[in-house]
Amino acid sequence: MIRAVVFDLDGVLRHFDPAHVTAIEARHGLSEGSIHAAAFAPELLDPVVTGRRSRADWVRSVGERIAHPQAAEEWGRHPSAPDPGMLALGDELRAGGIRTAILTNGTDTIPAELRESGIDAHVDDVFNSAEIGFAKPDPRAFQHVLGALDLPAAEVFFTDDSPSKLAGAEALGIRTHHFTGEAVLRTVLRDAGVLQPSTS
């Protein structure tokens, strides 16, 4: 029986408009995709999502790499929007006695971001790689979650919009789902007996 559902954050519970980044690049004469190519290069990304450097330092490094600090600062303020349907799903799960949590490859600003967006009010627990010290798909990140939830892997369900992030969970025996949308996830959770068939 599934007793806890763990959600990825970005691309699942909240979303970023890619047009925002494209507009920044166009405004500053940067090639399309250059900001994300710099920001998500492993040598810049890995330290920030494992808590070895701050988000502010990461943004500064992105600015240095693209030779445009102002563009990086604008990108660093990229607004996000919570997904109301997914937050409602989290509320339904909690009302049905299912524990809910977030596991995100995040930075040191995640707690503040979740408070400001109100997302933290819709989950029971937040697990941030920058605090754990290990990032998905490292099995140690998922082992930390299991320990904190005090649940065996067989009683935990994890969904992420990035298939590559599921491997660590699967290695531990956690049931996983590649997130492609709320409707499909609801069907999977109903089939697993986590949501009642009458849930809309």
Side-chain angles (χ1 to χ4, degrees), residues 70-161:
Q70 182 180 347
E73 286 295 329
E74 292 178 20
W75 165 77
R77 296 191 298 271
H78 192 171
S80 63
D83 187 315
M86 287 300 298
L87 297 186
L89 173 58
D91 292 342
E92 291 174 32
L93 290 168
R94 296 171 79 191
I98 301 296
R99 192 169 177 180
T100 63
I102 290 169
L103 172 60
T104 181
N105 283 359
T107 73
D108 59 333
T109 62
I110 285 293
E113 293 171 27
L114 294 181
R115 283 194 305 270
E116 291 168 3
S117 66
I119 292 175
D120 63 346
H122 296 271
V123 295
D124 297 303
D125 302 279
V126 175
F127 301 106
N128 179 7
S129 65
E131 298 172 357
I132 297 171
F134 302 107
K136 300 175 292 183
D138 192 324
R140 291 172 291 185
F142 296 96
Q143 191 63 63
H144 174 93
V145 171
L146 294 178
L149 295 177
D150 193 24
L151 291 174
E155 295 181 3
V156 177
F157 180 100
F158 173 65
T159 185
D160 197 302
D161 66 321

Side-chain angles (χ1 to χ4, degrees), residues 1-6 18 36 49 59 65-66 73 77-78 81 85 90 97 102 118 120 141 144 148 178 180 186:
M1 179 180 294
I2 299 297
R3 297 176 60 192
V5 173
V6 182
H36 279 175
V49 297
V59 172
R65 180 156 294 195
I66 64 175
E73 286 295 329
R77 296 191 298 271
H78 192 171
I102 290 169
D120 63 346
H144 174 93
H178 172 213
T180 57
R186 283 181 175 275

